[in-house]
Amino acid sequence: MTVGKVGKYELIEPLGKGGMAEVFKGRSQGKEYAVKILLPELATSKEQCERFLREARNCAQIDHVNVLKVISIDEGQEGSGEFSRRPYIVLEYIDGGSLQEALRAPMAFERALKIGAEIADGLAWAHSEGIIHRDLKPGNVMLT
């Protein structure tokens, strides 16, 4: 079952929703991706679309093992479907839970230390490239 389609990506199920976008598990040519689509109420604003795409391009500059890779960025296509004319970003899909989910139960100190170090390493690399993450929170940290 699918919930929709954008470009060549079949949207399989919702993964989450934030203040600016909703994220779906997507599939194309047998491979899974995370597809982040600008919310419909923001997609009508040229300013919001430009902000979303600017942040996506900044994210695409990051090439670090602890940061999701951007596969593609699309300004939105013509059409009449629910997701048409809405910019979207295709990211690698991590088959695991978020840090927020992991924190629902006690965590061993060693694991917490390892996760914290990996987050700091990814952030330090991004900062060295002049990129600031503006929405770092446990729900946005994916664990493998």
Side-chain angles (χ1 to χ4, degrees):
M1 185 176 154
T2 64
V3 296
K5 187 172 179 168
V6 292
K8 66 179 184 176
Y9 301 94
E10 177 183 7
L11 305 176
I12 301 165
E13 65 181 292
L15 296 175
K17 183 177 178 180
M20 189 169 208
E22 50 194 333
V23 182
F24 294 87
K25 182 177 183 179
R27 184 178 298 126
S28 177
Q29 299 178 347
K31 189 168 180 184
E32 294 178 339
Y33 300 91
V35 182
K36 185 174 184 177
I37 306 171
L38 188 64
L39 292 173
E41 58 269 22
L42 300 179
T44 58
S45 165
K46 183 178 179 186
E47 186 176 284
Q48 291 296 326
C49 288
E50 288 173 357
R51 177 179 169 212
F52 180 79
L53 293 167
R54 182 175 51 252
E55 289 183 11
R57 286 188 289 274
N58 285 340
C59 207
Q61 294 176 35
I62 301 174
D63 185 16
H64 191 277
V65 68
N66 295 329
V67 179
L68 284 177
K69 290 180 184 21
V70 174
I71 307 301
S72 67
I73 301 168
D74 195 294
E75 294 183 14
Q77 69 268 358
E78 297 295 319
S80 58
E82 176 185 355
F83 301 104
S84 65
R85 299 185 181 162
R86 290 169 56 187
Y88 63 93
I89 310 164
V90 180
L91 304 151
E92 70 176 307
Y93 174 74
I94 303 295
D95 191 14
S98 69
L99 177 58
Q100 181 176 343
E101 293 164 352
L103 291 173
R104 291 185 181 135
M107 182 181 293
F109 176 76
E110 294 80 15
R111 183 167 187 232
L113 192 60
K114 183 177 189 290
I115 291 169
E118 289 175 353
I119 292 169
D121 190 40
L123 283 173
W125 191 92
H127 291 176
S128 74
E129 297 295 311
I131 298 167
I132 306 297
H133 193 301
R134 297 172 192 216
D135 195 23
L136 183 60
K137 59 188 177 190
N140 286 346
V141 175
M142 300 307 295
L143 304 177
T144 58

